[in-house]
Amino acid sequence: NQAGSLRLSRGTEIVAASQARQEVLVWTNSSLYSLQYVGAPAVWAAQLVGENISTASQNCVAYANGVAYWMGKDKFYKYDGRTSPLRCDLRRFVFTDFNTEQYDQIFAGTNESFHEIWWFYCSSNVTDIDRYVVYNYVEDAWYYGTLARTAWLDSGLRNSPLAATYSYNLVDHEQGNDDNETATTQPINAYISSSQFDLDDGHKFMFIWRALPDMNFTGSTTNAPEATMSFLPLANSGAGYNNPTSEGGVNNGTITRSSTVPVEEYTEQLNVRVRGRQLAVKVESTGIGVSWQLGTPRLDMRPDGRR
């Protein structure tokens, strides 16, 4: 046979390996090598394609769309013919609340249906996986959440991804609207929150008196699905959200579906009273059978008297 050995000169141990399109990628604790079959007598040739990098664990690598993605010990990387760090909006959030004693538990998976790479990891002072961070490689977007999983298998020949839990169950993801991990159906407490953005040009106070939510509940299995939209104003950058968030009124409202035929109808507008220079918007739902999609909300606002 053609068995033999090949010495890699950079790094003190091999951490991970992955089959790519026309090569085998091998990660040491400081470098990335590309191994290609060249035939006898050498059989395999190793090319150094990345150095001065880190690799968090044996299972932290995911391969999708011809690109390898992995989590390092202080940043994320990709290899698409060359090695480069990933721009990550959540880098500080992830790596400042991270249990560095549990690197070996980190694992990655793909969700090809939504163009996503998932990493599961342990937050600070936690010894079981409790968080995930996701990179959408089509939209170049990051998001995160809390979820306890121990293994992940993408859809492939299946209809949906399959994951293992700490309760010794295998669960299908991306199916249904509720949490069916146990025998008792539970709602998924779902929310999305924007970053803080300027109102007008951010130099003066603005008063928001009405919002057009632009949401739909397509896919909901309950007759009257609803979600709450909240507006969180700031007087100044770094000042924290106003307390109280509203003066003489409310800063949130409920959007409810009222009809599905001939087209879906839902709450058209929310009456609020919010003042600030900056704003964050949050949408959340806590009911069983609720599925929602957020479009482009619009705000009616005018300059306010405060400076």
Side-chain angles (χ1 to χ4, degrees):
N1 60 41
Q2 293 184 328
S5 64
L6 184 66
R7 182 174 295 275
L8 304 180
S9 60
R10 305 292 177 88
T12 58
E13 63 176 342
I14 292 177
V15 179
S18 177
Q19 174 69 56
R21 184 174 299 167
Q22 295 178 335
E23 58 192 341
V24 176
L25 300 175
V26 177
W27 286 261
T28 71
N29 56 356
S30 65
S31 304
L32 172 62
Y33 283 87
S34 169
L35 271 61
Q36 293 183 322
Y37 181 77
V38 295
V43 186
W44 289 93
Q47 180 182 4
L48 180 66
V49 294
E51 53 185 334
N52 297 322
I53 62 171
S54 60
T55 308
S57 73
Q58 177 181 352
N59 299 311
C60 72
V61 179
Y63 189 80
N65 199 33
V67 181
Y69 301 89
W70 73 97
M71 176 187 282
K73 294 187 175 181
D74 60 354
K75 61 174 70 74
F76 296 90
Y77 300 88
K78 71 174 182 179
Y79 172 75
D80 56 1
R82 67 185 185 92
T83 301
S84 59
L86 274 177
R87 181 203 61 80
C88 181
D89 300 322
L90 298 176
R91 178 181 174 185
R92 181 178 178 184
F93 173 84
V94 172
F95 292 104
T96 57
D97 189 6
F98 195 97
N99 190 339
T100 56
E101 300 295 325
Q102 301 298 325
Y103 278 127
D104 288 342
Q105 290 201 58
I106 297 169
F107 68 93
T110 60
N111 190 349
E112 290 282 7
S113 297
F114 295 93
H115 318 295
E116 294 171 342
I117 308 295
W118 289 58
W119 286 276
F120 293 87
Y121 66 96
C122 302
S123 59
S124 296
N125 305 316
V126 175
T127 56
D128 290 332
I129 289 172
D130 64 334
R131 284 190 179 173
Y132 67 85
V133 59
V134 179
Y135 175 61
N136 187 307
Y137 51 83
V138 170
E139 298 181 7
D140 191 27
W142 292 84
Y143 28 99
Y144 66 94
T146 57
L147 190 65
R149 295 291 184 265
T150 60
W152 181 276
L153 178 66
D154 201 359
S155 52
L157 299 177
R158 298 171 46 82
N159 293 326
S160 58
L162 185 69
T165 73
Y166 282 103
S167 56
Y168 309 107
N169 291 328
L170 293 177
V171 294
D172 284 318
H173 281 246
E174 313 300 347
Q175 284 195 25
N177 300 320
D178 305 308
D179 182 355
N180 293 303
E181 182 176 334
T182 63
T184 303
T185 299
Q186 299 291 331
I188 294 178
N189 297 329
Y191 77 91
I192 185 170
S193 180
S194 75
S195 59
Q196 299 159 6
F197 57 90
D198 289 340
L199 295 174
D200 195 39
D201 59 4
H203 291 295
K204 55 189 176 184
F205 270 82
M206 300 296 292
F207 170 61
I208 301 172
W209 58 277
R210 182 175 65 168
L212 307 181
D214 190 20
M215 286 185 61
N216 69 65
F217 295 91
T218 303
S220 293
T221 55
T222 184
N223 291 330
E226 62 179 34
T228 300
M229 179 175 285
S230 302
F231 303 94
L232 309 174
L234 296 87
N236 302 294
S237 300
Y241 297 125
N242 294 354
N243 188 16
T245 52
S246 174
E247 298 180 20
V250 296
N251 74 310
N252 60 68
T254 301
I255 303 103
T256 304
R257 185 172 69 186
S258 56
S259 175
T260 58
V261 179
V263 295
E264 184 174 271
E265 297 178 4
Y266 44 85
T267 303
E268 297 181 19
Q269 63 181 34
L270 303 176
N271 295 315
V272 295
R273 292 180 63 87
V274 174
R275 292 178 173 87
R277 288 189 176 92
Q278 292 178 300
L279 188 73
V281 180
K282 181 178 181 179
V283 181
E284 57 188 326
S285 65
T286 58
I288 289 178
V290 177
S291 174
W292 49 268
Q293 184 175 13
L294 182 65
T296 307
R298 293 170 173 82
L299 303 176
D300 275 343
M301 57 185 179
R302 59 175 180 262
D304 196 56
R306 296 176 60 183
R307 293 182 177 273

